[in-house]
Amino acid sequence: MLIDTFGRSHNNLRISVTDRCNLRCTYCMPEEVVFMDRAELLTFEEITHFTCVAASLGIDKLRLTGGEPLLRRDLPRLVRMVAAVPGIKDVGLTTNGLLLPQQAQALFDAGLRRINISLDTLDPERFRAISRRDGLEQVLAGIAAAKKAGFSPIKINAVSIRGLTEQDVVPLARFAREQGLEMRFIEYMPIGAQAWERRKVYFAHEILEQLERDVAPLVPAEDYDPHAPAMDFQYSDGGGRVGIIASVSRPFCMSCNRLRLTSDGKLRNCLFALGEVDIKPLLRGTRDDARLAEMIRQNVRDKWEGHEINTARFIKPQRTMHAIGG
Ligand code: SAM
Ligand code: SF4
């Protein structure tokens, strides 16, 4: 088992498959960006090999992300490969949804069942202001395609930024209720290219107040897990679920069970880690699984207590979100 020096057990691996994106969300990446050379990206075989070694150490849950993962050619093939790794019980995907109309069915047929689609607003102009691109209609078509393919549950991720997306909370929550989707609001974190300020975070308790006032009363979900990243609620009128990821106002570091693999083969033990371990030479050169397993164990042992977003000590990582994997 991968247990760190704070007793946290790690079974969850987020795999970024590309740093490229067809949007340029202001909170995530700069407008002008030089993407990694494709030769730097781990191949599907290398990702699967890493997954095999990680699974032998207790990783059983994966999430594919990016950048925009659907930009990686033939992603359903990777889904099949990693889902077949002995010990892997669960594979999820986080996407901006733009390419789902073309790919949802193939991903479902490859065995993917859990999907998170990011959507911050239902207003086309604000969509363009936030993502620096058009695409709202495509994302809505992507959500419809995911429903048609049979994905369930479908979670919608929205970043909560004061003065920008607080006006979207109620319309998004109502949309999700109507469509049978699970809404998840994520507090804005200091991991993008923009200068972040704590006062720009639209906090979990404010979102909850808005939902209770203008949508419907909420109660903690029956399966509410106080240690999980999302605070899960359900509408008391039976209208579905809402999750809030309060990374800033209610950090969940002490129950973190995650490791991250970047698309260029760097292992990170925290989204906000300042250091990372290059494992590509052990996948691409002379393979040495015993050494790779030891590097994964050591990376877990090196994990710090938690991010220090709320302290003056906080240092923003050099990589922005799209290059780490959200
Ligand atoms: N491109 C895909 C997408 O947008 O879903 C996957 C990668 S994206 C980096 C993963 C998630 O991170 C998205 O839901 C996005 O909204 C979220 N995210 C990006 N930057 C963020 C920030 N500064 N604070 C909070 N969430 C952020
Ligand atoms: Fe792309 Fe996702 Fe980042 Fe938006 S949040 S720029 S869609 S990687």
Side-chain angles (χ1 to χ4, degrees):
M1 291 299 284
L2 294 167
I3 299 180
D4 71 8
T5 59
F6 297 90
R8 296 172 293 201
S9 177
H10 292 70
N11 70 325
N12 192 319
L13 174 67
R14 293 174 91 90
I15 301 173
S16 173
V17 298
T18 180
D19 65 329
R20 281 163 208 263
C21 195
N22 39 10
L23 296 180
R24 294 286 183 280
C25 303
T26 48
Y27 50 69
C28 175
M29 69 195 288
E31 183 157 23
E32 301 296 330
V33 54
V34 180
F35 292 117
M36 292 169 197
D37 190 310
R38 284 203 171 84
E40 292 301 316
L41 301 186
L42 294 183
T43 64
F44 287 176
E45 286 69 24
E46 288 164 346
I47 292 173
T48 306
H49 187 88
F50 180 86
T51 304
C52 284
V53 175
S56 74
L57 300 173
I59 294 290
D60 60 11
K61 202 169 170 187
L62 305 179
R63 175 162 295 270
L64 304 177
T65 181
E68 175 45 41
L70 300 193
L71 287 177
R72 186 80 188 249
R73 196 179 314 145
D74 205 8
L75 192 69
R77 185 167 80 88
L78 179 65
V79 171
R80 277 204 180 82
M81 288 166 76
V82 292
V85 169
I88 296 302
K89 296 184 188 144
D90 187 286
V91 183
L93 171 78
T94 302
T95 171
N96 63 26
L98 286 176
L99 295 173
L100 273 179
Q102 300 91 309
Q103 298 191 30
Q105 192 63 53
L107 288 163
F108 188 83
D109 294 345
L112 188 77
R113 292 292 176 270
R114 290 190 313 105
I115 193 164
N116 289 22
I117 304 172
S118 301
L119 177 62
D120 299 317
T121 180
L122 293 167
D123 178 277
E125 279 181 24
R126 231 169 8 264
F127 186 98
R128 195 178 312 120
I130 294 168
S131 66
R132 302 184 179 111
R133 297 284 188 275
D134 287 318
L136 176 61
E137 289 304 319
Q138 274 168 274
V139 178
L140 295 177
I143 293 171
K147 282 175 73 173
K148 184 157 177 267
F151 284 100
S152 178
I154 298 172
K155 297 183 182 176
I156 305 296
N157 287 359
V159 181
S160 300
I161 305 179
R162 190 179 305 282
L164 183 63
T165 59
E166 62 206 86
Q167 57 202 308
D168 296 299
V169 167
V170 170
L172 280 170
R174 288 191 178 140
F175 167 78
R177 268 164 67 93
E178 283 159 22
Q179 296 280 324
L181 311 166
E182 186 173 327
M183 205 53 231
R184 287 156 67 94
F185 295 100
I186 308 172
E187 285 181 350
Y188 173 40
M189 297 181 285
I191 194 75
Q194 279 177 323
W196 177 92
E197 288 170 75
R198 204 168 187 281
R199 63 176 182 85
K200 289 189 188 160
V201 181
Y202 190 54
F203 291 116
H205 71 272
E206 299 173 290
I207 297 168
L208 278 172
E209 271 167 31
Q210 237 192 323
L211 294 175
E212 295 241 46
R213 190 182 58 233
D214 297 331
V215 183
L218 288 161
V219 291
E222 276 155 21
D223 55 355
Y224 181 73
D225 173 1
H227 300 295
M231 300 194 284
D232 283 319
F233 298 89
Q234 58 197 44
Y235 292 107
S236 47
D237 65 1
R241 291 169 67 104
V242 180
I244 302 191
I245 304 183
S247 329
V248 180
S249 66
R250 179 184 167 275
F252 38 83
C253 302
M254 281 323 282
S255 51
C256 179
N257 61 2
R258 295 177 181 185
L259 295 177
R260 291 167 189 269
L261 183 64
T262 68
S263 54
D264 57 343
K266 307 288 193 297
L267 184 60
R268 299 175 64 87
N269 54 23
C270 176
L271 177 57
F272 296 96
L274 297 173
E276 47 189 32
V277 177
D278 187 7
I279 48 87
K280 193 161 50 180
L282 293 175
L283 295 169
R284 195 161 281 190
T286 319
R287 286 191 180 172
D288 183 344
D289 289 355
R291 176 117 195 279
L292 179 55
E294 183 45 32
M295 282 172 91
I296 299 172
R297 279 197 209 93
Q298 187 57 46
N299 191 248
V300 170
R301 280 195 291 268
D302 289 343
K303 185 158 172 154
W304 55 12
E305 192 176 354
H307 71 60
E308 298 191 316
I309 289 177
N310 297 306
T311 74
R313 293 185 300 275
F314 178 72
I315 301 172
K316 195 161 105 171
Q318 289 213 316
R319 279 187 194 245
T320 47
M321 186 68 135
H322 77 285
I324 297 175

